[in-house]
Amino acid sequence: MNKKPNLAIVGATGLVGSTFLKVLEERDFPFENLYMMASAKSAGKTVTFKGKDYVVEELNEHSFDKPIDIALFSAGGSTSEKYAPIAAAHGVTVVDNSSAWRMDPEVPLVVPEVNPEDIAWNKGIIANPNCSTIQAMVPLKPLHDAYKIKRVVYSTYQAVSGAGLKGINDLQEGLKGNDVCKAFAHPIAGNCIPHIDVFLENGYTKEEMKMVNETKKILHDDSMRITATTVRVPVMSSHSESINLEFEKPFELEDVKKLLAEFPGIVVQDDVQNAVYPLARDCAGKNEVFVGRIRRDESVENGLNLWVVADNIRKGAATNAVQIAELLLK
Ligand code: A2P
């Protein structure tokens, strides 16, 4: 792309949409024209970007009649299902944060540090993976390349911000003693709820199966055996994950630490003598993936345990999408 692109933010009034704007501003993303889109409810409101006010437009069938090069979508699955193909048909490249297109074989699912090459075969839509999947992929990639992962056990501890403003409100009210359940099936304050997204026939939640299926697609390995338990915890920002890995090849712990420390986008925080390991509160507002508690799983051959934390709205959503857009410019 030689000229500066025309950009559209679909879902500009939402939690992820407003973080798209923060990240675009911080990274000084080049653009010619910028369009803010949301539902009819927000039409006419203004959103500020780099000190300038932009009027929010209602998203409709004609939103992409004007020349737009890149659209960052985070307005829910049904909005993406309907409008991403309309945008793509108008020559827009859509980076979609919803789950609508992720498992479509015609749509690349991309974490820029891991599989940037997949962007090349996009047909107008590129999917941003699930927040819990993105932060896991970054440390898994160098280890899979070096030792070939046979099996993964994911256990997640996920922040309420993953459920949007409603999720944050449920926790804030709960901390004041009001048991509000607008985002979750049960009160979240003082609780751990093993239920994210809907339950499927196999007894897993959709969130758990997203982690299983998206991991295989991003790492291009259908033979990997993967299981997941995803849990909502009373934390405002940042998802934490315990990741248990079993490799085909043997490894030295020091080599694992070096591979992780040298991989782009990872910060290793692992000094247990001084109680140093990644913490959700410290990772909030950061763009990197933080890895610690790196140790052997002594119960199996070639087993490893990791503790992986990242800001779910940044690396888990907005930062990853903006990184994809940056690759599109190259
Ligand atoms: P609006 O604020 O007008 O409802 P969040 O993930 O924080 O709930 O935000 C969702 C975002 O998606 C908001 O910007 C919201 O706009 C937008 N959105 C929701 N439904 C639609 C729709 N049908 N068309 C366009 N934007 C939508």
Side-chain angles (χ1 to χ4, degrees), residues 10-16 37-42 45 59 74-76 79 83 164-165:
V10 179
T13 51
L15 191 56
V16 174
M37 301 176 189
S39 77
K41 184 182 100 193
S42 304
K45 284 187 189 165
L59 177 71
S74 190
T79 305
Y83 291 100
L165 295 171

Side-chain angles (χ1 to χ4, degrees), residues 16 30 73 76 122 145 152 177 186-188 196 250 261 278 313-314:
V16 174
F73 271 60
N122 89 80
D145 286 350
V152 186
H186 303 278
I188 185 65
I196 302 183
I313 303 296
R314 283 195 169 241

Side-chain angles (χ1 to χ4, degrees), residues 13 41 43 57 91 99 104 109 112-113 120 136 148 168 176 185 207 216 236 267 271 308 329:
T13 51
K41 184 182 100 193
E57 305 170 23
S99 60
D104 188 313
L109 183 65
E113 295 87 342
K148 193 161 186 349
I168 293 174
K176 289 187 232 157
E207 182 84 353
K216 293 179 182 181
M236 285 296 175
V267 177
D271 176 10
V308 178
L329 295 185

Side-chain angles (χ1 to χ4, degrees), residues 2-65:
N2 291 324
K3 66 175 186 64
K4 288 182 186 171
N6 291 334
L7 287 183
I9 308 297
V10 179
T13 51
L15 191 56
V16 174
S18 57
T19 312
F20 282 151
L21 294 171
K22 266 191 217 156
V23 177
L24 288 167
E25 181 161 356
E26 285 167 8
R27 297 168 82 99
D28 203 18
F29 192 91
F31 69 96
E32 191 65 44
N33 294 300
L34 179 59
Y35 302 98
M36 306 290 186
M37 301 176 189
S39 77
K41 184 182 100 193
S42 304
K45 284 187 189 165
T46 55
V47 169
T48 309
F49 181 69
K50 288 191 166 176
K52 191 178 155 192
D53 285 344
Y54 291 81
V55 178
V56 178
E57 305 170 23
E58 179 191 356
L59 177 71
N60 61 41
E61 278 85 353
H62 298 291
S63 296
F64 303 98
D65 292 350

